[in-house]
Every structure is written in structure tokens, then in C-alpha cells.
Amino acid sequence: MAPAVLVVDDDSELRDEVGLFLEAEGFEVLLAGDGREALDVLRVRPDVSAIVLDLMMPVMDGAEFRREQLQDRSIAGIPFVLLTGRVDFTHMARALGAVACLQKPFEPQSLLRALRPRSAH
């Protein structure tokens, strides 16, 4: 069974492109447009292997999502890769506990390198 990855980004074009790329690389892909939607997905699918998370989103941003995620034991341990358009992202990524942080625009292969070690277990 393919590892499931949840892609959370309010930019529907980017979200779809990342999703198609990951599907082509053998992942099962779930999509969400903001943090609130992502939490709803995870409550139905807590077996997700990793999350690709945008930082700046309406409704619930990446930092708010992460705080909520950590409060729910069933999904708290799911690792995430932070995607951001911000240049001052390193400190925020560390503070939120990201396993990797990619600045938009990013190389798809760098996303694969961040996800592949996580999908092995």
C-alpha cells in the first residue's frame, strides 16, 4: 500500500501540482485547502505518513494547524514538511517541529528527499 501524504495549501494550483507529482512518485495523496480542512481529513485518515504544510493560509494557517495537531494524540506524531513563501522561514520551521522546510518555489526532488525517509516506516 502506498504511503499517504496530506498536502495542505490554499493555492489550489500549487496544491494540485504537488499532489500530481507525489502520485506519480507512488504516494497516495490527500488534499486540503487550509488547516481546518486538514484537521478534518486527519480525523478520518489518521494513518497519513506525512504532511506537506503551507504556512500562510486563510481560515487556519500552518502554525495554528500545528498547535491543534499536537493537541490530538491520534495525529500528533505525523511529521510534516513546511512549505513557505517567506524568507525568514528557518526559525519558524524549527519552532513548529518541521522535519524539513522548503521555500517556494522549490525543487520537487527536494520534497521527495524530505518525504522518502518518512514513508519508509
Side-chain angles (χ1 to χ4, degrees), residues 7-107:
V7 179
V8 187
D9 199 309
D10 61 315
D11 179 338
S12 61
E13 190 174 311
L14 177 67
R15 185 177 64 236
D16 291 346
E17 285 177 17
V18 171
L20 288 171
F21 171 74
L22 291 175
E23 282 178 350
E25 293 293 328
F27 292 92
E28 176 187 359
V29 175
L30 305 168
L31 303 173
D34 61 59
R36 176 66 48 214
E37 202 177 305
L39 288 171
D40 292 343
V41 169
L42 290 173
R43 289 190 175 108
V44 176
R45 289 289 309 271
D47 62 324
V48 166
S49 298
I51 301 165
V52 177
L53 180 66
D54 184 23
L55 188 57
M56 305 297 283
M57 296 178 288
V59 182
M60 178 183 280
D61 68 24
E64 290 173 296
F65 164 81
R66 182 67 175 148
R67 283 190 288 277
E68 291 284 327
Q69 179 196 7
L70 291 173
Q71 303 252 336
D72 184 334
R73 281 192 199 158
S74 66
I75 59 174
I78 302 171
F80 77 100
V81 175
L82 188 66
L83 293 183
T84 183
R86 294 175 53 163
V87 293
D88 57 341
F89 62 92
T90 307
H91 176 70
M92 178 68 79
R94 269 193 223 115
L96 293 174
V99 296
C101 186
L102 303 174
Q103 187 175 2
K104 297 175 187 177
F106 61 92
E107 288 294 321

